Amino acid sequence: MVGWAVGRLALVTGAGSGIGRAACQVLSREGATVIAADRNYDAALETIKTHTALASGSNDVGEHCAIELDVADSKSVQNLVQTLSKQYRVPPRIIVNSAGITRDNWMLKLSEEDYESVLNVNLKGTFLIMQTFAKAMAEAKVSGSIVNISSIVGKYGNIGQTNYSASKAGVVAMTQTAAKELGKFNIRVNVVLPGFIDTPMVKTVPDKVKESLLKMVPLGRLGTPNEVAELIMFLASDKSSFINGASIDVTGGY
Ligand code: NAP
């Protein structure tokens, strides 16, 4: 295996589905050892068994591993960092924060519970992973790249997504601040803002709403998880070595 990421550990959250799964696929293609973390362990295992470069077509997952993780639970995140430190000795130098949820409703009907759960996973979860693993990288004196996943609705808002759009706007602001603080440790932090991407998350959007959204996409289609993963891969690699604190749209022009 020859690739820029050979010998690098990559932690991907939300790795059991959609964009996180595609990120595992692309990063492993570049030679990274992938830690696929998801609250759904079976889905994360499926990712490394059938979607990573080394593993495709066999049951051999090489050094890749699947781990159960709830990004919104600090104990779960602490268990993860300790487990990885025992297993690999060095911290992951690539972090992809892809775990995310929606609990859509009109603002006037949105429950406090649905507001909190979305903020807890999308915003607090991204914070806990960034803080924990940036600390581990700084202590180990290794450089790194953190790629957060926001959403285009964090910029423009979207009907039915008060909670989600607020969480994703928060991820952009948090990324810019983290980039300013972590630069001195040679850790870059960037954020990707996908538009409408064909994953299980978008399957919950009613067809009528999807049709009207697609009319606003100049390319006239949904994006694929792989189209987002290729940007994640670029931001994770040294090819983007002077890109830090950037927010990049992947929307087909939406
Ligand atoms: P997805 O297919 O639903 O994948 C998200 C994964 O994250 C799922 O496996 C999910 O598990 C997992 N997850 C949820 N909560 C978690 C938690 N607390 N801890 C660990 N894992 C958790 O969604 P996706 O479309 O790939 O979305 C990935 C990221 O892109 C999200 O942050 C999303 O907000 C963002 N995004 C997506 C789109 C889009 O159009 N698809 C657009 C803009 C931004 P469960 O299945 O058990 O929930």
Side-chain angles (χ1 to χ4, degrees), residues 14 17 19 38-39 69-71 98 150 164 168 195 197 199 202:
S17 179
I19 294 168
D38 200 288
R39 70 174 168 194
L69 167 74
D70 178 356
V71 294
S98 191
S150 172
Y164 183 77
K168 293 301 186 178
I197 310 299
T199 73
V202 156

Side-chain angles (χ1 to χ4, degrees), residues 88-236:
Y88 293 103
R89 305 277 163 208
V90 290
R93 294 173 56 191
I94 298 167
I95 308 288
V96 180
N97 271 307
S98 191
I101 59 167
T102 53
R103 295 288 181 272
D104 296 352
N105 210 335
W106 302 101
M107 188 184 73
L108 298 184
K109 292 182 176 170
L110 187 65
S111 68
E112 195 174 337
E113 192 189 346
D114 282 348
Y115 173 82
E116 280 178 355
S117 59
V118 167
L119 270 287
N120 274 339
V121 174
N122 298 2
L123 187 57
K124 183 180 140 191
T126 300
F127 163 70
L128 289 174
I129 292 287
M130 274 208 297
Q131 186 191 49
T132 304
F133 286 93
K135 213 172 180 180
M137 281 188 255
E139 280 169 8
K141 296 189 169 44
V142 293
S143 61
S145 172
I146 300 175
V147 184
N148 293 327
I149 314 295
S150 172
S151 164
I152 199 64
V153 309
K155 232 184 195 177
Y156 303 123
N158 193 26
I159 286 171
Q161 295 198 309
T162 343
N163 48 358
Y164 183 77
S165 55
S167 73
K168 293 301 186 178
V171 168
V172 172
M174 205 160 65
T175 299
Q176 288 162 342
T177 302
K180 287 186 165 71
E181 292 188 10
L182 298 176
K184 66 180 173 202
F185 301 111
N186 213 4
I187 300 169
R188 295 182 297 112
V189 194
N190 293 291
V191 60
V192 172
L193 285 72
F196 301 98
I197 310 299
D198 195 7
T199 73
M201 182 177 273
V202 156
K203 294 215 173 3
T204 62
V205 176
D207 284 347
K208 239 181 166 181
V209 178
K210 229 185 276 176
E211 273 167 35
S212 65
L213 287 171
L214 277 181
K215 284 191 187 132
M216 292 188 272
V217 181
L219 291 183
R221 62 173 177 87
L222 297 174
T224 66
N226 192 60
E227 287 173 312
V228 183
E230 292 291 350
L231 173 60
I232 293 171
M233 186 278 290
F234 171 70
L235 290 172

